[in-house]
Amino acid sequence: MWSKRVLALMTVGLVLSCGAYGAEQDKTRIIDAAEAPDRSPRVPTFAIDGDIAGSLSVFTTKYEDTFAAIGNDLSLGYLELVKANPGVDPWLPGDGTRITLPRQYVLPDVERKGIVINLAEYRLYYFTDQGVQVYPVGVGTDDNPSPLTDAEVTMPLESPAWYPPASIRAEYAASGDYLPRMIPAGPDNPLGSHALMLSEEGYLIHGTNKQFGVGMQVSHGCFRMYNEDISRFVYQVSKGTPVRVIKQPVKIGLSGGEVWLEVHRPHEEYSDQDREWLWQEVTAALDSFLQRRPEVEIQRRAIELAVDQADGIPTMVGERVRARQLASDDTNVEKPAAADKGKEPRLWF
C-alpha cells in the first residue's frame, strides 16, 4: 500500500500518451491519511471457492432508473447488465422491475495475483490475501485496442491534467472540432479524478468524465473506471503490483466438484458470426480443460444453452466423477471391477 501520508501527485512535468491521453502533474501535494475521505473498496471482496467467486443477486428498479445509472451506483458495467437481463429495456426498465446483478464469476485462467484485466468481459480483477474484488472497466475499441500485456503499477496520480497527443487532436480537427493542447483537472477532464500509471508505456487505469461507457469498448486503449471506484482503488494498490491484460471470452472452472462455464459475447447484439466464433472458443477451451481434468463429465445440452445465451453468467455444465473408496480403511482404495478397467469418463460434448 501507499504510505499513510500519500504522495498523490508524485512528479513534476510528467507526460503520458495513454494511447489517447496524456497527463501532466505540475504540483506536489501531500494528503494526510487522517484527513482523507473513506478509501475502503466500493465493491465486495469475494472469497474464492475453487475457480468461482461471488454470487448473483436481484435488484428492484425505480421508475427513474437506467442501467447506466444503476451501474454507476453499484459498480457494474452497462453491457454486463444488458447481457444478464435480456428483454429488459436498459433505458426504461420501469418501476418495480427485478433485474439480475451479475456478480458471480468464473475466475480467469491465469495466476491469481495483483490486477488482471479481461478485455473480453470488460472487468478488472484485483486479487488480495482476503479474496478478489471485481470492477467494470472500459477498454480500447477495435480501432484502438488495449494491449495484451504483462505490466506493473508504477505510481498513483490525483487530479491529472490531460495533454492529448497529436493524433487525437488531428481526429478532432478532421471532424471540425477543436481540442486544446491541455485540459486541466476538473469535470471536463477525460482522465477523471485519479489514475494509476502503468509500466506499459502510455497506458493508465484511470477515471472518466463520462458516466456512460464503463464496461464497454470506448477508449483509445486505456482502462476506464468509475471515478467512485478509482478514487478509492488507487489507495489500495502498491507500487509494483503486477497487471496482466488478457482476452478470455470463455472461462471454465471447477468448484465443489461442479464444472462451471462462463461465455461472453463481445457486443450487445449477438450476431451469427459471433456465435460461430464463440463455439470455436468454447470447443478449444473445453478440450484444454478436459486434458487437465479427465475425471469430469460434461453435458452438451448445458453447454449449448450457455453459448446460445452468452450472457456472462456462470452456468453449471458438468461434474467430477469421484473415485470410490472403502469406508472402513481410508488408506486403501477399492480396485475397479474388471468391467470398469480402462473405462473413460462419459462426455456428451
Side-chain angles (χ1 to χ4, degrees):
M1 300 300 173
W2 307 105
S3 62
K4 290 185 177 181
R5 294 179 59 82
V6 179
L7 184 59
L9 306 183
M10 298 185 68
T11 66
V12 176
L14 171 66
V15 179
L16 306 170
S17 68
C18 193
Y21 299 142
E24 179 174 314
Q25 309 302 335
D26 55 9
K27 294 182 180 179
T28 299
R29 175 163 155 251
I30 302 296
I31 299 178
D32 195 307
E35 301 173 356
D38 181 12
R39 301 301 187 191
S40 60
R42 201 165 73 105
V43 299
T45 300
F46 295 111
I48 297 173
D49 183 9
D51 299 320
I52 298 289
S55 61
L56 301 179
S57 59
V58 174
F59 178 85
T60 302
T61 63
K62 298 179 181 178
Y63 75 94
E64 72 272 18
D65 282 334
T66 66
F67 279 12
I70 293 169
N72 190 300
D73 290 343
L74 302 180
S75 192
L76 290 164
Y78 171 79
L79 190 54
E80 66 179 327
L81 284 170
V82 170
K83 292 190 294 185
N85 294 278
V88 179
D89 185 342
W91 296 108
L92 191 63
D95 189 35
T97 301
R98 291 167 62 84
I99 65 171
T100 298
L101 303 183
R103 281 203 173 114
Q104 185 179 35
Y105 316 96
V106 177
L107 298 177
D109 186 18
V110 293
E111 183 181 8
R112 296 169 189 172
K113 182 179 180 181
I115 295 171
V116 174
I117 299 173
N118 189 0
L119 302 179
E121 56 180 317
Y122 314 116
R123 286 173 179 157
L124 180 154
Y125 293 82
Y126 178 50
F127 292 96
T128 72
D129 293 339
Q130 291 73 42
V132 62
Q133 300 168 20
V134 186
Y135 297 90
V137 289
V139 304
T141 63
D142 291 335
D143 293 332
N144 297 280
S146 300
L148 299 173
T149 185
D150 288 327
E152 64 180 36
V153 172
T154 58
M155 70 174 65
L157 305 171
E158 184 184 90
S159 300
W162 180 31
Y163 283 72
S167 60
I168 303 306
R169 297 200 307 273
E171 284 185 20
Y172 274 71
S175 62
D177 296 326
Y178 169 73
L179 187 63
R181 291 181 176 273
M182 189 275 285
I183 295 179
D188 296 326
N189 189 317
L191 295 184
S193 63
H194 295 74
L196 288 171
M197 184 177 175
L198 306 181
S199 60
E200 181 73 21
E201 185 176 358
Y203 291 92
L204 301 170
I205 301 170
H206 64 80
T208 179
N209 64 336
K210 297 179 180 179
Q211 183 184 65
F212 187 69
V214 174
M216 302 175 66
Q217 284 185 289
V218 291
S219 78
H220 283 73
C222 285
F223 309 101
R224 296 187 189 177
M225 297 178 70
Y226 292 121
N227 284 333
E228 294 85 350
D229 288 337
I230 189 67
S231 62
R232 300 179 180 214
F233 190 55
V234 294
Y235 297 97
Q236 298 180 65
V237 182
S238 303
K239 179 180 179 180
T241 296
V243 179
R244 173 171 286 188
V245 183
I246 62 173
K247 188 173 184 179
Q248 293 182 6
V250 175
K251 300 181 297 179
I252 304 173
L254 195 63
S255 177
E258 299 170 342
V259 181
W260 293 82
L261 174 67
E262 184 177 323
V263 182
H264 289 266
R265 63 180 186 266
H267 308 108
E268 186 171 345
E269 302 298 326
Y270 196 14
S271 67
D272 291 339
Q273 182 179 1
D274 287 339
R275 191 183 305 269
E276 178 61 29
W277 168 69
L278 279 174
W279 263 114
Q280 296 174 8
E281 293 290 318
V282 167
T283 300
L286 276 171
D287 286 345
S288 176
F289 181 78
L290 291 173
Q291 288 179 9
R292 291 179 282 120
R293 298 284 191 176
E295 76 278 13
V296 303
E297 293 181 346
I298 301 295
Q299 300 185 42
R300 180 179 176 87
R301 180 54 181 160
I303 294 170
E304 290 175 344
L305 289 173
V307 176
D308 185 60
Q309 295 171 0
D311 55 10
I313 294 178
T315 301
M316 196 182 85
V317 297
E319 61 183 350
R320 181 192 303 166
V321 179
R322 298 182 182 277
R324 293 175 294 174
Q325 294 185 346
L326 291 175
S328 59
D329 185 358
D330 60 10
T331 64
N332 295 319
V333 178
E334 181 180 350
K335 295 182 179 179
D340 291 335
K341 289 183 178 179
K343 185 177 179 181
E344 297 292 331
R346 291 178 296 153
L347 304 178
W348 294 299
F349 177 70

